[in-house]
Amino acid sequence: MDGGGDGAQGLEEQAAAAAEAARELRDAAAALAVRRAADEDALRRRAVAIDADVRRLQGSLAPLDPATLDKVEEELERARAAILDGDVAAFLPSKGNGKFLKKFVGPVNVRVARKEDKLKVKDEYNNYRDRAAYMFLLFPSTLLLLRWWVWDGCLPALAVQVYQAWLLFLYTSFALRENVLLVNGSDIRPWWIYHHYLAMLMALVSLTWEIKGQPDCSSKQRGVQLFLRWAIMQGIAMHLQNRYQRQRLRTRIALGKAKRMDVVAGETAGVEGQLLLLYPVLFVLQGFEAYVGVLLLQTAWHGLTSEWQVIVCGILLVVMAVGNFVNTVETLALKLRFKAKMKRTRHRQEPGQGGANRLHQN
């Protein structure tokens, strides 16, 4: 009996000691949380103040002469990249979820705190673009080949609607991922997100479009055939962009002129590299997109079809083609201005370098 009592007393003492240790641990964790919150608050105020100073300086460069302006702009770009591309970005005020994101995930905070996790989100987006580019080539190519080899020149309605449903899923997932990247600090032009909204609407409308067959199937499905050919061209453009844009983006990140969370532009955007190869492909792609849209509108105008879906899809294609063209031209203009700026910088450095070389030789 005494042994049992001693054992029970020992267990009671151990339980009391465990409870005391747990309370001490709770108090220590609470104290650490308070200190951490205070440190984070101090860093947050400092980060906001420095970010505001950089923005203020960027807006006060007008009186500077061109030589000083280029140098100051470069320093401010590096400062801003250092703030936004590292752990400091976690202490800046976060962007709220846009309306589109709230419709799908609600008010959930999708901002990632750790820099490594942010980069994983970006890498997954890039990998998704690669897979989508392959599908943009494979899916419409397969439909057009089967049209000749198996379906006797006439696309079945189910196959076309499966493709249109895939487009709706693809553009929706693009828009969701880009909204998440935007919240996490990526620099994405608003047009490319709006472009995917329009493409989602077009895919949704086309799902209700009656795909007519024989007789005269080739004439009735001409708009669908042209759209599939345009999709193949878009897949080729996406492959070129995924390759060349990332090379250019890596260079800009290394120079401190871009953030590591920045991503390449939309699948019909102009890029800052490989001008002679990619820009002609993009302009042809945009022109062909507008042509398909105009062809659909002409089909409805001449009374060859009465579906409202034809008119809506034609208008959306023309709007997207014009928006893509304007954005590509703007990117091209930025590239030319950047090249002119770099040329001026080299010219200013050459006299000093020449004098330094002569001094070294003497």
Side-chain angles (χ1 to χ4, degrees):
M1 294 292 293
D2 292 339
D6 292 341
Q9 184 178 2
L11 288 175
E12 184 178 353
E13 291 175 352
Q14 292 178 18
E20 181 64 23
R23 285 192 293 269
E24 291 177 355
L25 181 62
R26 179 196 62 191
D27 295 340
L32 176 62
V34 171
R35 293 195 303 271
R36 183 175 180 180
D39 292 341
E40 288 183 354
D41 189 57
L43 283 174
R44 187 174 294 107
R45 289 196 301 268
R46 186 179 176 189
V48 171
I50 295 176
D51 184 56
D53 286 341
V54 173
R55 290 175 180 271
R56 177 181 56 80
L57 291 171
Q58 286 179 328
S60 306
L61 303 180
L64 299 178
D65 60 274
T68 308
L69 177 62
D70 292 343
K71 183 177 180 181
V72 174
E73 278 184 341
E74 185 173 352
E75 291 296 333
L76 291 176
E77 286 175 358
R78 292 180 185 277
R80 186 142 180 81
I83 293 172
L84 299 178
D85 196 31
D87 295 324
V88 180
F91 298 102
L92 293 174
S94 60
K95 298 178 181 178
N97 295 357
K99 293 181 180 179
F100 180 81
L101 204 55
K102 287 180 180 178
K103 293 292 184 183
F104 283 88
V105 301
V108 178
N109 183 17
V110 296
R111 189 179 187 187
V112 181
R114 297 177 68 245
K115 179 174 62 178
E116 294 78 7
D117 294 334
K118 285 185 177 182
L119 295 177
K120 288 180 181 179
V121 174
K122 171 196 165 183
D123 291 339
E124 174 56 29
Y125 172 77
N126 287 334
N127 294 334
Y128 189 70
R129 280 179 57 89
D130 289 336
R131 296 193 297 269
Y134 285 112
M135 290 299 295
F136 257 106
L137 281 173
L138 181 62
F139 213 144
S141 299
T142 302
L143 289 178
L144 289 175
L145 289 175
L146 291 176
R147 171 178 172 265
W148 287 110
W149 294 349
V150 178
W151 294 325
D152 195 23
C154 191
L155 289 165
L158 179 61
V160 177
Q161 289 175 339
V162 168
Y163 174 66
Q164 292 163 343
W166 175 78
L167 284 180
L168 177 60
F169 166 79
L170 177 73
Y171 287 124
T172 304
S173 59
F174 267 143
L176 282 171
R177 290 167 184 261
E178 287 163 356
N179 274 275
V180 172
L181 286 168
L182 202 61
V183 171
N184 284 280
S186 291
D187 186 15
I188 302 176
R189 289 190 177 186
W191 163 250
W192 302 120
I193 300 180
Y194 296 146
H195 171 269
H196 288 149
Y197 294 160
L198 295 175
M200 286 167 50
L201 177 60
M202 184 182 68
L204 182 62
V205 170
S206 64
L207 274 173
T208 65
W209 186 351
E210 182 183 0
I211 307 298
K212 296 183 178 180
Q214 301 290 0
D216 197 17
C217 178
S218 178
S219 175
K220 293 177 181 177
Q221 295 186 355
R222 178 163 175 75
V224 177
Q225 297 166 23
L226 286 173
F227 182 82
L228 293 175
R229 293 188 179 98
W230 169 80
I232 294 173
M233 293 176 60
Q234 181 166 311
I236 295 172
M238 287 180 67
H239 275 290
L240 292 174
Q241 287 177 311
N242 290 347
R243 176 182 176 184
Y244 296 133
Q245 283 182 315
R246 288 177 197 169
Q247 292 176 355
R248 180 60 181 169
L249 185 59
R250 283 194 291 267
T251 302
R252 288 179 58 81
I253 292 173
L255 293 174
K257 296 182 179 297
K259 307 187 298 293
R260 282 195 288 175
M261 275 302 292
D262 287 351
V263 295
V264 297
E267 61 271 5
T268 48
V271 297
E272 297 181 354
Q274 305 297 330
L275 177 64
L276 295 178
L277 174 62
L278 191 52
Y279 273 101
V281 174
L282 291 174
F283 286 133
V284 170
L285 177 66
Q286 292 156 8
F288 194 68
E289 183 179 22
Y291 170 71
V292 174
V294 171
L295 180 67
L296 292 176
L297 292 176
Q298 287 180 341
T299 302
W301 179 263
H302 294 298
L304 299 178
T305 181
S306 58
E307 289 92 346
W308 61 271
Q309 295 92 334
V310 177
I311 300 175
V312 174
C313 289
I315 293 173
L316 289 174
L317 281 172
V318 172
V319 170
M320 287 189 291
V322 173
N324 293 336
F325 176 78
V326 170
N327 205 280
T328 303
V329 171
E330 288 178 352
T331 305
L332 178 58
L334 288 174
K335 173 182 172 57
L336 295 177
R337 285 199 296 269
F338 177 77
K339 290 181 67 175
K341 176 182 174 181
M342 294 299 294
K343 188 176 181 180
R344 290 197 306 269
T345 303
R346 285 196 299 268
H347 284 327
R348 286 196 303 269
Q349 292 176 347
E350 284 174 358
Q353 291 174 350
N357 291 334
R358 287 192 298 271
L359 181 63
H360 178 71
Q361 291 172 358
N362 292 333

